[in-house]
Amino acid sequence: MPINEALFAAMKAASYIKPNAGKSYKLQRVAEELIAKQAPANPKCRVEDAFAPMADGYAVPLRVFTPLVAYGAPLPEALEESSANDTPVASAISAILPAVLPKVLPKIPIKESTSSGNTGSIPDDSGTEISVITPHGTILFFHGGGWATGGINLYTQACAHMAVRLQRRVIAVEYRLAPEYRFPTAVEDCYEVARQLFAGELPISGVGGSVDVDHPQSAAPTAPAGGGDISATIPAPDPDSIVLFGDSAGGNLAAAVSLMARDRGEFMPRTQMLLYPVVGNDYNPETSPFESVRTNGTDYILTAQDMADYIDMYRSSVADLTNPYFAPLTAHDLSNQPRTLVLSAEYCPLRDEDEAYARRLQLVNDNVSCYRIHDGIHGYLLNTSAVGLVATTYRIIEHFLDDTPLEPAPGTGTTANAPEGGDAWQDVLGTD
């Protein structure tokens, strides 16, 4: 499907102007934190911070998002007015950083609350009470960013929207970043958080408010700043209600955690969702087995060179490239994996490897679904102009998780509902 010409020209220019990931990741981190700090609030979601202790003494920061109202339900008038007074400064800042930070936050406000508990009523700052819904389950979310950027601050708006839209509690994991912490640190952080969640051992320390979380590579690997007794735990949810979800590098970590869980036998995820995940290891256009590395590897913000840089920053040795916990597509055995949803993006350099991973999973597992999002570019989950793509993605996720009807819909394009013709998605495996 041809992409909007004006949008394509803008993406192509930005792709050539911006420095490669290996040279700009530190500056991108700074830009991401600046944008995240300016994000407005969402009164439909409670946001709290927690920490999960690792065996080496490091405490992995978590952010817990609890939906307060049913999706689509109106807010009390006082809260609507409070939300309307917020200024989306993030969009203004992102406008001057296209060469540094091509991914920007969606215009979805966020409200942090100091209340706790999942039932009853919660007063907001204006004194208005909101009836609290009971979440349908828990999503353990691993953020993208090439294992070197991104974070729960940047993803707070997206996770709050996710919690409300899907009516599930979302726990976002601030795993340690490369190149300061190379493979396998990130996947071990994510695995241990998942293990604690499934075992009912995930501690809550300092819940009752949300604080800024620095990138973990800049913090000492010790208990969370400010101390606080770890005296409560998140009760073990029904394993069937837990979903592992990640985008990009986070999709890689979700897939790797599922493989690791199968191999170690301590717990077993029932469901995973992978949004344009990194599952391969070769992004050289001359040697890659995937055509999308060549066709989509230069003009669509995330370049093949960026991917090569991220791989080099993440790996500890050349041997990592064929480790299935590093590159899940290299696994010889993909049996006994969770029910899986893979979402690829039409103009993403990872598209073909994502769909190849879904096909390989389907050979040895039941309940594997894969959809290609038409007009999609890598990172659209955080892109303000990708409203239609995000809406399409959630329709597919709702179909996958809750069996809601999924009917073909016109393509929305990546320019805020500017149709380009054709359907918004393609069922790659023909499972529907």
Side-chain angles (χ1 to χ4, degrees):
M1 179 183 299
I3 201 166
N4 177 278
E5 291 184 5
L7 177 65
F8 175 69
M11 288 193 301
K12 185 173 183 178
S15 300
Y16 280 95
I17 293 173
K18 74 178 184 69
N20 291 328
K23 298 178 180 178
S24 65
Y25 73 94
K26 289 184 179 180
L27 186 56
Q28 182 161 332
R29 289 174 182 171
V30 173
E32 289 174 345
E33 290 302 310
L34 178 61
I35 289 174
K37 289 178 184 297
Q38 305 303 320
N42 187 337
K44 294 185 178 182
C45 185
R46 186 173 74 248
V47 182
E48 301 165 306
D49 284 315
F51 298 86
M54 300 293 105
D56 63 1
Y58 184 79
V60 171
L62 310 173
R63 186 155 291 165
V64 183
F65 302 82
T66 304
L68 299 179
V69 296
Y71 177 66
L75 287 173
E77 183 177 348
L79 291 184
E80 290 283 12
E81 292 176 356
S82 174
S83 178
N85 290 333
D86 286 319
T87 303
V89 181
S91 295
I93 294 176
S94 64
I96 64 173
L97 295 171
V100 177
L101 184 63
K103 298 188 296 183
V104 293
L105 295 175
K107 299 175 183 177
I108 304 168
I110 292 209
K111 181 68 176 181
E112 295 175 355
S113 169
T114 58
S115 303
S116 60
N118 292 333
T119 59
S121 297
I122 294 180
D124 88 304
D125 295 339
S126 67
T128 303
E129 290 193 348
I130 307 173
S131 296
V132 180
I133 58 100
T134 299
H136 297 165
T138 299
I139 294 173
L140 187 61
F141 181 75
F142 309 126
H143 68 79
W147 308 283
T149 64
I152 58 178
N153 289 337
L154 182 67
Y155 275 75
T156 288
Q157 285 189 314
C159 287
H161 179 60
M162 184 189 307
V164 175
R165 176 67 189 251
L166 299 179
Q167 295 290 277
R168 285 167 168 83
R169 177 177 56 187
V170 174
I171 302 175
V173 181
E174 182 87 322
Y175 55 85
R176 283 172 278 186
L177 300 180
E180 294 85 353
Y181 293 92
R182 294 176 179 266
F183 178 82
T185 301
V187 67
E188 291 287 359
D189 284 352
C190 293
Y191 175 86
E192 178 58 19
V193 172
R195 188 202 64 76
Q196 291 180 30
L197 176 63
F198 275 85
E201 300 172 0
L202 195 62
I204 300 175
S205 174
V207 168
S210 186
V211 297
D212 290 332
V213 177
D214 291 332
H215 281 297
Q217 78 287 341
S218 65
T222 57
D229 294 332
I230 300 178
S231 57
T233 59
I234 296 176
D238 176 358
D240 289 334
S241 73
I242 300 175
V243 178
L244 303 187
F245 185 22
D247 72 317
S248 190
N252 167 282
L253 294 170
V257 167
S258 292
L259 290 169
M260 192 177 283
R262 178 202 63 188
D263 297 342
R264 295 183 179 179
E266 295 181 289
F267 66 95
M268 191 61 225
R270 282 20 173 216
T271 306
Q272 65 177 353
M273 303 189 303
L274 316 176
L275 177 58
Y276 37 77
V278 184
V279 291
N281 59 14
D282 183 2
Y283 299 96
N284 183 335
E286 296 182 359
T287 58
S288 171
F290 300 112
E291 187 61 25
S292 61
V293 171
R294 288 175 281 278
T295 58
N296 298 338
T298 56
D299 298 336
Y300 301 97
I301 304 299
L302 178 71
T303 66
Q305 184 59 57
D306 287 335
M307 284 306 309
D309 288 350
Y310 286 133
I311 290 288
D312 285 344
M313 284 191 284
Y314 184 44
R315 68 178 177 88
S316 296
S317 69
V318 173
D320 291 340
L321 297 176
T322 53
N323 186 321
Y325 305 150
F326 183 96
L329 193 56
T330 68
H332 296 296
D333 180 9
L334 289 178
S335 64
N336 299 318
Q337 286 301 279
R339 178 171 177 253
T340 300
L341 172 64
V342 177
L343 294 166
S344 65
E346 182 176 10
Y347 295 105
C348 173
L350 311 181
R351 181 196 66 207
D352 292 350
E353 70 180 58
D354 293 344
E355 295 170 8
Y357 190 65
R359 291 188 181 97
R360 282 201 57 204
L361 282 171
Q362 187 189 39
L363 291 175
V364 289
N365 300 278
D366 294 328
N367 296 321
V368 178
S369 300
C370 180
Y371 297 87
R372 179 185 296 182
I373 306 301
H374 287 167
D375 295 328
I377 61 171
H378 193 88
Y380 69 74
L381 185 66
L382 298 183
N383 197 312
T384 55
S385 67
V387 174
L389 300 178
V390 174
T392 294
T393 296
Y394 278 117
R395 287 178 59 236
I396 293 172
I397 289 175
E398 289 165 340
H399 173 67
F400 176 75
L401 292 179
D402 301 323
D403 201 29
T404 58
L406 180 62
E407 301 295 335
T412 57
T414 50
T415 53
N417 299 311
E420 293 292 332
D423 292 338
W425 50 265
Q426 171 186 342
D427 184 356
V428 174
L429 302 180
T431 52
D432 278 344

PDB file of all heavy atoms in Angstrom, residues 240-266:
ATOM      1  N   ASP A 240      -3.576 -17.318  33.864  1.00  0.00           N
ATOM      2  CA  ASP A 240      -4.255 -17.130  32.583  1.00  0.00           C
ATOM      3  C   ASP A 240      -4.561 -15.663  32.307  1.00  0.00           C
ATOM      4  O   ASP A 240      -4.847 -15.295  31.165  1.00  0.00           O
ATOM      5  CB  ASP A 240      -5.555 -17.941  32.541  1.00  0.00           C
ATOM      6  CG  ASP A 240      -5.291 -19.437  32.447  1.00  0.00           C
ATOM      7  OD1 ASP A 240      -4.222 -19.817  31.945  1.00  0.00           O
ATOM      8  OD2 ASP A 240      -6.150 -20.218  32.894  1.00  0.00           O
ATOM      9  N   SER A 241      -4.532 -14.833  33.346  1.00  0.00           N
ATOM     10  CA  SER A 241      -4.879 -13.421  33.177  1.00  0.00           C
ATOM     11  C   SER A 241      -3.666 -12.542  32.940  1.00  0.00           C
ATOM     12  O   SER A 241      -3.799 -11.339  32.734  1.00  0.00           O
ATOM     13  CB  SER A 241      -5.634 -12.910  34.412  1.00  0.00           C
ATOM     14  OG  SER A 241      -4.748 -12.760  35.522  1.00  0.00           O
ATOM     15  N   ILE A 242      -2.456 -13.121  32.966  1.00  0.00           N
ATOM     16  CA  ILE A 242      -1.230 -12.343  32.773  1.00  0.00           C
ATOM     17  C   ILE A 242      -0.819 -12.383  31.302  1.00  0.00           C
ATOM     18  O   ILE A 242      -0.759 -13.455  30.697  1.00  0.00           O
ATOM     19  CB  ILE A 242      -0.082 -12.887  33.635  1.00  0.00           C
ATOM     20  CG1 ILE A 242      -0.457 -12.829  35.122  1.00  0.00           C
ATOM     21  CG2 ILE A 242       1.206 -12.100  33.385  1.00  0.00           C
ATOM     22  CD1 ILE A 242       0.582 -13.472  36.026  1.00  0.00           C
ATOM     23  N   VAL A 243      -0.526 -11.216  30.743  1.00  0.00           N
ATOM     24  CA  VAL A 243      -0.100 -11.102  29.348  1.00  0.00           C
ATOM     25  C   VAL A 243       1.276 -10.444  29.319  1.00  0.00           C
ATOM     26  O   VAL A 243       1.462  -9.368  29.890  1.00  0.00           O
ATOM     27  CB  VAL A 243      -1.095 -10.257  28.531  1.00  0.00           C
ATOM     28  CG1 VAL A 243      -0.620 -10.112  27.091  1.00  0.00           C
ATOM     29  CG2 VAL A 243      -2.494 -10.862  28.589  1.00  0.00           C
ATOM     30  N   LEU A 244       2.247 -11.072  28.671  1.00  0.00           N
ATOM     31  CA  LEU A 244       3.525 -10.418  28.402  1.00  0.00           C
ATOM     32  C   LEU A 244       3.385  -9.603  27.123  1.00  0.00           C
ATOM     33  O   LEU A 244       2.904 -10.113  26.115  1.00  0.00           O
ATOM     34  CB  LEU A 244       4.646 -11.444  28.231  1.00  0.00           C
ATOM     35  CG  LEU A 244       4.912 -12.425  29.372  1.00  0.00           C
ATOM     36  CD1 LEU A 244       6.169 -13.233  29.070  1.00  0.00           C
ATOM     37  CD2 LEU A 244       5.034 -11.723  30.712  1.00  0.00           C
ATOM     38  N   PHE A 245       3.812  -8.339  27.155  1.00  0.00           N
ATOM     39  CA  PHE A 245       3.646  -7.460  25.998  1.00  0.00           C
ATOM     40  C   PHE A 245       4.881  -6.590  25.886  1.00  0.00           C
ATOM     41  O   PHE A 245       5.390  -6.077  26.872  1.00  0.00           O
ATOM     42  CB  PHE A 245       2.396  -6.601  26.180  1.00  0.00           C
ATOM     43  CG  PHE A 245       2.045  -5.726  24.993  1.00  0.00           C
ATOM     44  CD1 PHE A 245       2.490  -6.002  23.704  1.00  0.00           C
ATOM     45  CD2 PHE A 245       1.237  -4.609  25.171  1.00  0.00           C
ATOM     46  CE1 PHE A 245       2.141  -5.208  22.630  1.00  0.00           C
ATOM     47  CE2 PHE A 245       0.880  -3.807  24.107  1.00  0.00           C
ATOM     48  CZ  PHE A 245       1.336  -4.097  22.828  1.00  0.00           C
ATOM     49  N   GLY A 246       5.374  -6.437  24.662  1.00  0.00           N
ATOM     50  CA  GLY A 246       6.495  -5.543  24.436  1.00  0.00           C
ATOM     51  C   GLY A 246       6.509  -5.042  23.015  1.00  0.00           C
ATOM     52  O   GLY A 246       6.006  -5.704  22.107  1.00  0.00           O
ATOM     53  N   ASP A 247       7.059  -3.855  22.822  1.00  0.00           N
ATOM     54  CA  ASP A 247       7.211  -3.310  21.473  1.00  0.00           C
ATOM     55  C   ASP A 247       8.693  -3.182  21.156  1.00  0.00           C
ATOM     56  O   ASP A 247       9.507  -2.863  22.018  1.00  0.00           O
ATOM     57  CB  ASP A 247       6.496  -1.956  21.332  1.00  0.00           C
ATOM     58  CG  ASP A 247       7.203  -0.828  22.062  1.00  0.00           C
ATOM     59  OD1 ASP A 247       7.650  -1.045  23.214  1.00  0.00           O
ATOM     60  OD2 ASP A 247       7.312   0.282  21.500  1.00  0.00           O
ATOM     61  N   SER A 248       9.065  -3.502  19.913  1.00  0.00           N
ATOM     62  CA  SER A 248      10.435  -3.367  19.440  1.00  0.00           C
ATOM     63  C   SER A 248      11.390  -4.207  20.301  1.00  0.00           C
ATOM     64  O   SER A 248      11.225  -5.409  20.422  1.00  0.00           O
ATOM     65  CB  SER A 248      10.824  -1.889  19.412  1.00  0.00           C
ATOM     66  OG  SER A 248      12.048  -1.689  18.760  1.00  0.00           O
ATOM     67  N   ALA A 249      12.381  -3.574  20.949  1.00  0.00           N
ATOM     68  CA  ALA A 249      13.275  -4.318  21.830  1.00  0.00           C
ATOM     69  C   ALA A 249      12.506  -4.941  22.983  1.00  0.00           C
ATOM     70  O   ALA A 249      12.884  -6.002  23.495  1.00  0.00           O
ATOM     71  CB  ALA A 249      14.371  -3.403  22.364  1.00  0.00           C
ATOM     72  N   GLY A 250      11.418  -4.301  23.398  1.00  0.00           N
ATOM     73  CA  GLY A 250      10.571  -4.882  24.437  1.00  0.00           C
ATOM     74  C   GLY A 250       9.866  -6.138  23.956  1.00  0.00           C
ATOM     75  O   GLY A 250       9.631  -7.071  24.732  1.00  0.00           O
ATOM     76  N   GLY A 251       9.523  -6.191  22.662  1.00  0.00           N
ATOM     77  CA  GLY A 251       8.972  -7.413  22.094  1.00  0.00           C
ATOM     78  C   GLY A 251       9.998  -8.524  22.094  1.00  0.00           C
ATOM     79  O   GLY A 251       9.678  -9.697  22.332  1.00  0.00           O
ATOM     80  N   ASN A 252      11.238  -8.164  21.818  1.00  0.00           N
ATOM     81  CA  ASN A 252      12.335  -9.128  21.911  1.00  0.00           C
ATOM     82  C   ASN A 252      12.420  -9.694  23.315  1.00  0.00           C
ATOM     83  O   ASN A 252      12.551 -10.916  23.518  1.00  0.00           O
ATOM     84  CB  ASN A 252      13.646  -8.427  21.537  1.00  0.00           C
ATOM     85  CG  ASN A 252      14.891  -9.208  21.897  1.00  0.00           C
ATOM     86  OD1 ASN A 252      15.303  -9.232  23.056  1.00  0.00           O
ATOM     87  ND2 ASN A 252      15.513  -9.835  20.915  1.00  0.00           N
ATOM     88  N   LEU A 253      12.319  -8.830  24.326  1.00  0.00           N
ATOM     89  CA  LEU A 253      12.441  -9.274  25.708  1.00  0.00           C
ATOM     90  C   LEU A 253      11.257 -10.143  26.118  1.00  0.00           C
ATOM     91  O   LEU A 253      11.431 -11.128  26.845  1.00  0.00           O
ATOM     92  CB  LEU A 253      12.569  -8.055  26.627  1.00  0.00           C
ATOM     93  CG  LEU A 253      13.855  -7.245  26.435  1.00  0.00           C
ATOM     94  CD1 LEU A 253      13.788  -5.927  27.192  1.00  0.00           C
ATOM     95  CD2 LEU A 253      15.074  -8.050  26.865  1.00  0.00           C
ATOM     96  N   ALA A 254      10.063  -9.809  25.649  1.00  0.00           N
ATOM     97  CA  ALA A 254       8.893 -10.637  25.954  1.00  0.00           C
ATOM     98  C   ALA A 254       9.066 -12.037  25.374  1.00  0.00           C
ATOM     99  O   ALA A 254       8.814 -13.050  26.047  1.00  0.00           O
ATOM    100  CB  ALA A 254       7.620  -9.979  25.416  1.00  0.00           C
ATOM    101  N   ALA A 255       9.495 -12.105  24.111  1.00  0.00           N
ATOM    102  CA  ALA A 255       9.702 -13.412  23.477  1.00  0.00           C
ATOM    103  C   ALA A 255      10.810 -14.187  24.186  1.00  0.00           C
ATOM    104  O   ALA A 255      10.696 -15.406  24.397  1.00  0.00           O
ATOM    105  CB  ALA A 255      10.047 -13.218  21.997  1.00  0.00           C
ATOM    106  N   ALA A 256      11.881 -13.494  24.570  1.00  0.00           N
ATOM    107  CA  ALA A 256      12.994 -14.163  25.248  1.00  0.00           C
ATOM    108  C   ALA A 256      12.592 -14.655  26.629  1.00  0.00           C
ATOM    109  O   ALA A 256      12.995 -15.751  27.052  1.00  0.00           O
ATOM    110  CB  ALA A 256      14.180 -13.204  25.355  1.00  0.00           C
ATOM    111  N   VAL A 257      11.797 -13.866  27.350  1.00  0.00           N
ATOM    112  CA  VAL A 257      11.318 -14.301  28.668  1.00  0.00           C
ATOM    113  C   VAL A 257      10.475 -15.565  28.541  1.00  0.00           C
ATOM    114  O   VAL A 257      10.576 -16.493  29.348  1.00  0.00           O
ATOM    115  CB  VAL A 257      10.527 -13.168  29.352  1.00  0.00           C
ATOM    116  CG1 VAL A 257       9.749 -13.697  30.555  1.00  0.00           C
ATOM    117  CG2 VAL A 257      11.475 -12.061  29.806  1.00  0.00           C
ATOM    118  N   SER A 258       9.643 -15.645  27.493  1.00  0.00           N
ATOM    119  CA  SER A 258       8.819 -16.838  27.292  1.00  0.00           C
ATOM    120  C   SER A 258       9.686 -18.068  27.020  1.00  0.00           C
ATOM    121  O   SER A 258       9.422 -19.157  27.544  1.00  0.00           O
ATOM    122  CB  SER A 258       7.844 -16.613  26.134  1.00  0.00           C
ATOM    123  OG  SER A 258       6.872 -15.642  26.474  1.00  0.00           O
ATOM    124  N   LEU A 259      10.721 -17.909  26.204  1.00  0.00           N
ATOM    125  CA  LEU A 259      11.636 -19.018  25.940  1.00  0.00           C
ATOM    126  C   LEU A 259      12.393 -19.418  27.209  1.00  0.00           C
ATOM    127  O   LEU A 259      12.557 -20.601  27.523  1.00  0.00           O
ATOM    128  CB  LEU A 259      12.622 -18.634  24.838  1.00  0.00           C
ATOM    129  CG  LEU A 259      12.053 -18.506  23.428  1.00  0.00           C
ATOM    130  CD1 LEU A 259      13.085 -17.853  22.501  1.00  0.00           C
ATOM    131  CD2 LEU A 259      11.636 -19.867  22.878  1.00  0.00           C
ATOM    132  N   MET A 260      12.845 -18.417  27.940  1.00  0.00           N
ATOM    133  CA  MET A 260      13.595 -18.662  29.165  1.00  0.00           C
ATOM    134  C   MET A 260      12.713 -19.354  30.213  1.00  0.00           C
ATOM    135  O   MET A 260      13.166 -20.270  30.927  1.00  0.00           O
ATOM    136  CB  MET A 260      14.122 -17.319  29.690  1.00  0.00           C
ATOM    137  CG  MET A 260      15.155 -17.415  30.787  1.00  0.00           C
ATOM    138  SD  MET A 260      15.767 -15.759  31.255  1.00  0.00           S
ATOM    139  CE  MET A 260      16.870 -15.417  29.876  1.00  0.00           C
ATOM    140  N   ALA A 261      11.449 -18.929  30.298  1.00  0.00           N
ATOM    141  CA  ALA A 261      10.526 -19.538  31.255  1.00  0.00           C
ATOM    142  C   ALA A 261      10.287 -21.008  30.918  1.00  0.00           C
ATOM    143  O   ALA A 261      10.253 -21.863  31.811  1.00  0.00           O
ATOM    144  CB  ALA A 261       9.212 -18.764  31.259  1.00  0.00           C
ATOM    145  N   ARG A 262      10.137 -21.305  29.644  1.00  0.00           N
ATOM    146  CA  ARG A 262       9.976 -22.704  29.236  1.00  0.00           C
ATOM    147  C   ARG A 262      11.193 -23.534  29.620  1.00  0.00           C
ATOM    148  O   ARG A 262      11.075 -24.647  30.143  1.00  0.00           O
ATOM    149  CB  ARG A 262       9.755 -22.774  27.724  1.00  0.00           C
ATOM    150  CG  ARG A 262       9.621 -24.192  27.169  1.00  0.00           C
ATOM    151  CD  ARG A 262       9.936 -24.250  25.689  1.00  0.00           C
ATOM    152  NE  ARG A 262      11.322 -23.862  25.400  1.00  0.00           N
ATOM    153  CZ  ARG A 262      11.799 -23.676  24.165  1.00  0.00           C
ATOM    154  NH1 ARG A 262      11.002 -23.824  23.127  1.00  0.00           N
ATOM    155  NH2 ARG A 262      13.064 -23.341  23.989  1.00  0.00           N
ATOM    156  N   ASP A 263      12.369 -22.984  29.391  1.00  0.00           N
ATOM    157  CA  ASP A 263      13.598 -23.725  29.624  1.00  0.00           C
ATOM    158  C   ASP A 263      13.906 -23.904  31.105  1.00  0.00           C
ATOM    159  O   ASP A 263      14.448 -24.936  31.521  1.00  0.00           O
ATOM    160  CB  ASP A 263      14.770 -23.034  28.931  1.00  0.00           C
ATOM    161  CG  ASP A 263      14.618 -22.995  27.409  1.00  0.00           C
ATOM    162  OD1 ASP A 263      13.811 -23.781  26.876  1.00  0.00           O
ATOM    163  OD2 ASP A 263      15.294 -22.164  26.771  1.00  0.00           O
ATOM    164  N   ARG A 264      13.569 -22.902  31.915  1.00  0.00           N
ATOM    165  CA  ARG A 264      13.908 -22.964  33.343  1.00  0.00           C
ATOM    166  C   ARG A 264      12.817 -23.634  34.174  1.00  0.00           C
ATOM    167  O   ARG A 264      13.090 -24.123  35.277  1.00  0.00           O
ATOM    168  CB  ARG A 264      14.195 -21.555  33.866  1.00  0.00           C
ATOM    169  CG  ARG A 264      15.426 -20.932  33.240  1.00  0.00           C
ATOM    170  CD  ARG A 264      15.735 -19.560  33.817  1.00  0.00           C
ATOM    171  NE  ARG A 264      16.940 -18.994  33.212  1.00  0.00           N
ATOM    172  CZ  ARG A 264      17.445 -17.792  33.509  1.00  0.00           C
ATOM    173  NH1 ARG A 264      16.832 -17.031  34.423  1.00  0.00           N
ATOM    174  NH2 ARG A 264      18.541 -17.356  32.922  1.00  0.00           N
ATOM    175  N   GLY A 265      11.595 -23.605  33.714  1.00  0.00           N
ATOM    176  CA  GLY A 265      10.521 -24.327  34.377  1.00  0.00           C
ATOM    177  C   GLY A 265       9.999 -23.721  35.661  1.00  0.00           C
ATOM    178  O   GLY A 265       9.296 -24.390  36.423  1.00  0.00           O
ATOM    179  N   GLU A 266      10.292 -22.437  35.932  1.00  0.00           N
ATOM    180  CA  GLU A 266       9.819 -21.812  37.171  1.00  0.00           C
ATOM    181  C   GLU A 266       8.397 -21.269  37.039  1.00  0.00           C
ATOM    182  O   GLU A 266       7.679 -21.147  38.034  1.00  0.00           O
ATOM    183  CB  GLU A 266      10.770 -20.690  37.585  1.00  0.00           C
ATOM    184  CG  GLU A 266      12.158 -21.186  37.945  1.00  0.00           C
ATOM    185  CD  GLU A 266      13.074 -20.052  38.376  1.00  0.00           C
ATOM    186  OE1 GLU A 266      13.472 -19.241  37.511  1.00  0.00           O
ATOM    187  OE2 GLU A 266      13.389 -19.976  39.580  1.00  0.00           O
TER     188      GLU A 266
END
